Structure formats: structure tokens, C-alpha cells
Amino acid sequence: MIIAVDAMGGDHAPSAIVEGAVLAAREGDVEVILVGVDEKIQEELDKHDVDQLPIRIEHAEQIVDMHDAPGKVLRSKRKSSIKIGLDLVKAGSADAFVSAGNTGAVLAFSTLILRPLKGVSRPAITVQLPTLQGSSLLLDAGANVDCKPIQLFQFGVMGHAFAKYIIGKEEPRVGILSIGEEDGKGNEITKEVFHMLKKSHVNFIGNVEGKEVYRGNADVVVCDGFTGNVALKISESLAEMIGKNLKAMFSRNWKSKLGYFLLKDQLAEFKKKVDHSETGGAPLLGINGVCIIAHGSSSPKAIKNAIKRANELAEKKINDHIREDIESNLADLDLGIWKQIKSAFVPDSLEDDKKTEEEVVGEDETGGDEAPSTSEKDKDV
Amino acid sequence: MIIAVDAMGGDHAPSAIVEGAVLAAREGDVEVILVGVDEKIQEELDKHDVDQLPIRIEHAEQIVDMHDAPGKVLRSKRKSSIKIGLDLVKAGSADAFVSAGNTGAVLAFSTLILRPLKGVSRPAITVQLPTLQGSSLLLDAGANVDCKPIQLFQFGVMGHAFAKYIIGKEEPRVGILSIGEEDGKGNEITKEVFHMLKKSHVNFIGNVEGKEVYRGNADVVVCDGFTGNVALKISESLAEMIGKNLKAMFSRNWKSKLGYFLLKDQLAEFKKKVDHSETGGAPLLGINGVCIIAHGSSSPKAIKNAIKRANELAEKKINDHIREDIESNLADLDLGIWKQIKSAFVPDSLEDDKKTEEEVVGEDETGGDEAPSTSEKDKDV
């Protein structure tokens, strides 16, 4: 498989990205196209022995900054590594795209260029969390802020497919993130999704409370992007706080320093278990193509793993599975909600989605910084 | 001050509750009324030397189970320790109420018996989280699932008052929990609240991302009860997972056991820092009386601290401060949102709120298990 990699995105770009690509190429199986500013990438490649490696450069003169508003980027950064990398996927010149850059921009460009899969309203960012039972998926982690029930339903079906065909869980347990386990608990949206998922073909286990997430009692945790983003970021925040406290503790005096020395190997092992750089980034599920969003602070190892994950998703044809599952599940949904489904396929706010790429770029440059195909909602990651 | 304590609520009731009350009474300053089944409380009291302590029993024959639906409890458990304890506050025989029991039931009874403060739509559960800078408040942690913007505005004002007059922070920084720091980020509700809090007298610092919470960059973190509950519970879940992994690590071999032994004191110190039993429970802010919700798994120490916190809130007249701050802030709010405020004072779904307590009990017992004055929203804690 050929993986296009955004060489310019991420806190440590391009060095960490290029090094990650080299590591992935060395392990075999993948060809890498590094997309970005030619000479900068070459400079980094020169630091490695890449003579026999299947790595090539695709020049892209523009760089998307981490703080650029996605809507603006769509119009003003059409020669960026993100746009050109996704174009390669669209054209079939690459099988997948990986970026550690501006998430909102990746989301906006991929929705515009690759388009959502048939039957999917919006793509969802899917993160893999470490749990007491191994790992679980949480989606959406921030692509869609204000969600309709049908979207959460789709997230459930997509997460189920990912857990089954990629992670390899036989009958993934799908739950809705809520504030009580009982059927009637939740907010207006989760209560509606509950009934929809209950009728679906997925192994639906009902509501999952926050306290169950890291116990691993659900393989797929479904939520809107606002809740998912808060849950994910607050987890990172807590882990950071605990980590900093432990670190301070370990270096306080000779006794604690010795204690740390004795525990070092096992602490490293635990750190590896919960390290996001091991999970290979967050796939953007529901898009017609494979797109992986890596953490902004990705290390070379994280990039390597994201490339391998992208390769796996493309090889195992994740989108064929999602397409089939969405179709069979939607077919069985109560006709009573047909209207809702229809409205979710063509939400009012998404009328602009019908515009072609050309129409979008042709628009007045001063037309605001909103993405035509992705409202404010999509930027908040 | 006289504190009424629900002796029958909590995983370790009545033993842990009675012991906590004894500890609090021994430290002076408070008189405790233990509310619950007379002989069971007496049995526990007999285990302690309480001769000179200002502790007495108020008999309540019914016990609210942790799984009882709050609506049902309102009608069928009118002789419960929760109801009778809150009646004592209402009558002025006690200055505050503490319970580690069924949160939904405490919420429902306190809203019905004590009523919300003037200018407050609904009370909010206010938790104190440990952070890198000490501690921060998060509200609402689960009392109100689907919130209107005006409610979050009130949470901000109430949290500000609590941080200022009880925690003692001079100019508490109030932020809205959202998914990006920039002004325009968030969901439909947070965006509206943003503009309201910006106009308020509180020291509003804008949006706060999940990753900032445990860094302590806001003293008061405002969110709806669904998001707050998920954030709180997922934090507990992650802490549990990390704790279990560390524990397993410490006992793996002689080296790690020795390492643990050397670090023991400092680990205990850290545990104390993040232990919820130290924070004295979660005040239900916005109710016309002082009511503290303690964690279901409260230890005697946690109950002692909750009683002391209740005492402090009553002594420092937290509700006078909230009333004043709500009034002055509401007065300054744009008239354009007056309609919204009004609708929040008397939300459609709350028409039943106008019923008196007597009317509620007089209703058909088979009338469902919904709390008349508290919709489904209030039960989900």
C-alpha cells in the first residue's frame, strides 16, 4: 500500500514525521509519499540512510499552521501538504493519508475532497483508549460538536466495524456514553440513540457511564464530539497531573530516587501501555478514503505506527465493511425515523456540501473563514 | 451550627456515617443530628464514647435505596432519613443537611422542600477537583442533564461565589468547559453562555479546554450536568485504572516491592492530595438551604469533612452571597435575553414546580415514578 504523509504537520514537523516515515518504510509493507516543502523534507531525509527505501517526495509549497481556521485554509491553502496529500488519495495515487497537523483543516479538506461514505452524515474521529481489559474505542472525539441522534447511531455502526475488522474483536460491545446505566438515563440525544442502536445488528450493551470507560466494559463508546473531546482531553489532563506529581515525588530525596530506580522498568512498561503513540493515531471513520489523524505532538514512533495503522485500514478495506454495515443497519431502522435519516443525509446546515470543489474555491475570498462544507462544528478538535 | 446527617445513606451506612459524625462532633464547633432508624444508629453510637458529644438522633423509619427512582421516592418514602433531614433544615431546626445516599433522591427532595434560591433555575452539584495549582470547582456535575444557557450562567455566578467566599480565592477565574480556547469554539449552548458571562461581574476567562482542567487554569469550570458528570466519572475511571496498574506493578517482584516501600510515604501524601474524602463532599448550590452530597463510598473521614464543609457554608452564609451575586448579575444582563431568563425561571417542563408539597403527595400513587418538581434531568447523577 502507498501512504501519503503530511510532512509539514505536527509540533515536531518535519523532522519527526520524516523519521517516522523512514522507520515505517524500513519495516516493509508500505511505500511512503512525503508531502510538503521539497527541500525541507530532503534535508531531513539526508539525515537517514534511505537509499533502498520506498520513500518519495511530493512537493507542496504551503504549510497549514496549527492555528489556521479550517474555513480559511480551504480557500487560501490549496497548495498545502494536507490538500495535496488528500488529492493523491482521491486520485488513487495513494491508499491512505496520515497527518499530525491542524485537525480541523484535515477534517475540512478530507470531507470536501474525499466526501463522506454513502449513508454516513459526517465522519468521526475515533480514538483508541487503554483500559483495564486492553483497549476500547471512543468516537466521536471531536469532529462533530452538535450531533443528531442518527449521527451517533452511525458512529456506533462504524466503531463496531472498526473494532471487529481492524482490532479483531469478535463481537464488540457497543455502548452509549451516558450518566447512568439504566435505559432511561441520559440527555435528549442519547435517549433517542439508545432505541435506534437497540434495533441495530450491533452488539449493543446500552448506556455506559464515565466510570466504566477505563474499566473496558465497552469495546466501542459512542458519544457526540463535544462530550468525546472533553472526555479525551480531561483524561490527558488528569494523566498529566498524575505524571507530574509522580515525577516530582520520584526525585524528592535519595530514598525516593532509589525507589524510582527499582521501579523504572515497570514504569516504562506501564507508560508504553497507555502511550498514545502506540495506538497509531485516530482514524477519521466515515470518509470515502483512509485518513488518520495523529496527535500533534507525535514522535517518530507515533508517526510510524500511524502509517502502519493507515496501511492496515486500507489493506483490510475498512470502508467496504462500514458501507455494508451502515446499509444493512439503516435498512432495518424503523421507517418512523426515515425523515430524520433523510435530514441527516442532507442537513440544512450542509446545503453547501452540494457545491463542488471548484465552486468552493471560486467563491469570494473575503467570504469569511468558514469552511463551506464543514461548519464551525468541524473545527473544534 | 447544627448539621442534620443522613445516617442511612451511602455504601457504608450507617457505621461510616455515625463514625464520621462522632469525629466531627469531637473536633468541636458542630452539633450533629443523626437522622435514620433509631435503633440502628444507637447500635453504632454505642461503639463510640459519645457521652459528652453534641449528637442526637432523629428517628426516620424509611430508608432510600441507592437504586430507588427519585420520583417514586418523593411519594413513597416520606418518612425517609432524606426527607426528614431536609425537613429539619426547612423548619430551622438544623442549619444544613449532609447525605451520602441516593443523589437523585436528595436532589429531588431538596428542590421540593427547600426550593431553589430566587433567581436560580435549578441547583447544581459542585465538585472540588485537585489540580496542579491546588483545586478547582466544576459545576454542574450531574444535577441538570439538558441545560439552557441561563442555567450555565447561573452556575458560573454560583461557582464564583463559592470559590470566593468559601474556598477563599480573591478573584476566582471562571471558565466554560469547551473544546477549544478561542471565543467561537463550543456547542450551541456554550457559545451563548460565553456572551452572557462576558457581560457579568465575574472574572470570566472564556473557554477552558478539557486539557486545562487539571492544570488548574480556571478556578471555576462551568458545564452542563451531562458533560460534568461524564468528565468527573471518566476522571475517576482513569484514576482507578492507573491506581490498579501501579498497585499490580508494586507487588510484582522483590525489586518493585522494595521500590514501593521506599516511596510509600510520598505515595500516601499524593493520595491524600487527590482523595475526594478530603474535599468535604459536593455542595448543592442554588438551593435555599445548605445541602451537601457526599460520595456514596464515603469513609468516616469523608463524612467528617462533609459535615465540616456544611458547617462552613452555613456559617459563612453562602446563600446570601449567591443571592446577592445572582441579583446584581441578572440586573446587568442584556434585556434581549430577558425572555430566556423568564423561561428559565419557569421552564415549561417545570410547571409542576408550582405545586405545593401537599399537592404532590396527594397525587395518585400510580402516577409514574417521575419527581413532580424534578424531571428526568435531575435524577441522573
Side-chain angles (χ1 to χ4, degrees), chain B residues 15 18 22 26 40-50:
Chain B
S15 67
V18 172
V22 170
R26 271 202 195 122
K40 289 195 178 173
I41 298 174
Q42 194 55 58
E43 203 174 290
E44 291 300 327
L45 277 175
D46 289 345
K47 296 177 185 166
H48 307 275
D49 177 16
V50 294

Side-chain angles (χ1 to χ4, degrees), chain B residues 153-175:
Chain B
F153 173 80
Q154 293 162 358
F155 299 164
V157 176
M158 297 196 294
H160 183 265
F162 186 68
K164 187 167 178 179
Y165 301 108
I166 306 299
I167 312 283
K169 300 202 178 185
E170 212 148 287
E171 224 179 319
R173 298 157 299 170
V174 177

